[in-house]
Amino acid sequence: MTLPRFALTPGEPAGIGPDLCLLLAREAQPAPLVAIASRELLAERARQLGLSIELLAVEPQRWPDAPAAAGSLYVWDTPLAVAAEPGKLTPANAGYVLQTLTRAAQGCLDGTFAGMITAPVHKGVINEAGIAFSGHTEFLADLTQTSQVVMMLATHGLRVALVTTHLPLKDVAAAITVERLERVTRILHADLRSKFGIDAPRILVCGLNPHAGEGGHLGREEIDIIEPTLQRLRAEGMNLIGPLPADTLFTPKYLDQADAVLAMYHDQGLPVLKFKGFGAALNVTLGLPIIRTSVDHGTALDLAGTGKVDIGSLQVALQTAYQMAASRAD
């Protein structure tokens, strides 16, 4: 039986993404993994790192059906605009970065790939190239014509999804609307079932305010928005617990029986997750028609080409993508 095939994008060419791909290639993967990258970039970075990695050329209509051997990596050559140096950003390669993402996502949509795994991009240098770009998540949502996506980070024993993502704190309360909360909760519940194989997900929901509003004395969002929305979704059969005070929700009493936590804003849920699993956590985009996982860290320009990088997050992102594809196939 043909094994499912996965796409790997190295992200910013001046960052640690190419290093991660090469370091990962030292060990065999359980499925065919195709790096969509500049072959020249990977060869040069391997030389800088002192790695002997065989770069195996692949192209459309000639896809591999078996995993590459340890010490080798399948590469769908995607040329750079200009040569990349570790740690030195250049806007000229912004188009290259987006082309790798487009090839991977289109391959997922047409069934060539069962999922895509992404190394970090640098949003700033893409915008400096005159291309409006706010991140992987938004780019892939536009490319796949997905109206609503949800950001979820995960590590061993904990998944945290976000109602709002990269907003100033002063804007968060206004963004917690009945419509947004309902959409995010539905996507989280649906993807835990379809992509993680959890038949009846148990989701813990954070309150927005300290002490979950303390009966309205510390804010009314829980009373006016969060609780009525959860109650309506519970009536449909969803197992939603909350709203709970975030300072007590993240304790074993609650987490030991939970499949995911829904946090109201970025720094409510993610500090706990990163404390628990930094270096072994991943980012998952929920709501897409494709499987996309990513590392949970940035481009680390100062470490590019040094060999002093940890591939733990990329390994977890790969393992999770494999598991999600298997759950989807069942």
Side-chain angles (χ1 to χ4, degrees):
M1 186 175 68
T2 302
L3 291 170
R5 194 181 302 112
F6 294 82
L8 172 63
T9 59
E12 168 53 48
I16 63 170
D19 309 46
L20 294 173
C21 296
L22 292 162
L23 291 167
L24 184 80
R26 294 178 298 179
E27 299 180 2
Q29 295 296 313
L33 181 66
V34 177
I36 302 177
S38 163
R39 191 178 189 281
E40 183 179 356
L41 167 66
L42 293 177
E44 175 60 19
R45 193 65 59 88
R47 185 193 65 76
Q48 293 167 339
L49 294 171
L51 294 174
S52 179
I53 302 295
E54 183 181 7
L55 302 176
L56 307 171
V58 300
E59 56 188 40
Q61 285 75 54
R62 295 181 58 191
W63 300 113
D65 292 326
S72 61
L73 179 65
Y74 292 123
V75 181
W76 182 5
D77 188 30
T78 306
L80 290 165
V82 298
E85 294 183 47
K88 296 184 179 180
L89 295 170
T90 172
N93 282 325
Y96 156 83
V97 173
L98 299 186
Q99 186 182 12
T100 65
L101 296 177
T102 299
R103 283 183 164 185
Q106 292 289 4
C108 290
L109 289 171
D110 68 24
T112 298
F113 303 117
M116 60 184 287
I117 300 94
T118 60
V121 297
H122 194 286
K123 300 173 190 175
V125 76
I126 296 174
N127 283 283
E128 285 177 24
I131 303 170
F133 181 83
S134 54
H136 274 115
T137 302
E138 295 81 3
F139 180 81
L140 293 173
D142 287 343
L143 194 149
T144 60
Q145 298 182 344
T146 305
S147 59
Q148 179 75 34
V149 293
V150 173
M151 180 181 183
M152 184 175 81
L153 270 72
T155 189
H156 179 68
L158 181 61
R159 301 182 184 98
V160 177
L162 303 175
V163 177
T164 64
T165 52
H166 301 120
L167 285 179
L169 193 56
K170 67 181 179 60
D171 297 334
V172 168
I176 306 295
T177 62
V178 169
E179 294 77 16
R180 181 193 287 258
L181 179 58
E182 181 172 333
R183 285 198 309 267
V184 170
T185 306
R186 287 189 185 281
I187 290 170
L188 174 59
H189 184 267
D191 274 19
L192 287 173
R193 295 186 66 196
S194 65
K195 294 179 181 176
F196 288 86
I198 303 169
D199 290 334
R202 186 175 190 268
I203 300 170
L204 305 182
V205 182
C206 296
L208 173 65
N209 297 295
H211 303 178
E214 203 164 279
H217 296 287
L218 296 176
R220 291 195 54 86
E221 286 81 4
E222 289 78 9
I223 294 171
D224 295 339
I225 297 169
I226 301 174
E227 177 55 39
T229 303
L230 299 186
Q231 191 59 38
R232 187 169 61 257
L233 295 174
R234 287 189 196 106
E236 297 180 12
M238 294 188 196
N239 191 354
L240 306 171
I241 297 88
L244 297 171
D247 62 346
T248 53
L249 180 155
F250 288 101
T251 57
K253 172 184 174 182
Y254 293 105
L255 294 180
D256 285 352
Q257 304 300 319
D259 295 303
V261 172
L262 183 57
M264 292 296 125
Y265 57 94
H266 188 282
D267 282 13
Q268 182 181 58
L270 298 194
V272 179
L273 185 133
K274 294 201 173 188
F275 176 78
K276 179 178 174 60
F278 191 76
L282 75 149
N283 187 335
V284 184
T285 305
L286 305 179
L288 294 173
I290 64 175
I291 290 170
R292 180 259 170 165
T293 66
S294 180
V295 296
D296 75 334
H297 55 72
T299 53
L301 296 170
D302 58 323
L303 297 179
T306 68
K308 299 176 181 178
V309 297
D310 186 342
I311 66 170
S313 182
L314 181 59
Q315 288 174 318
V316 174
L318 276 162
Q319 291 162 5
T320 302
Y322 298 154
Q323 292 164 1
M324 290 171 70
S327 294
R328 211 175 195 187
D330 290 342

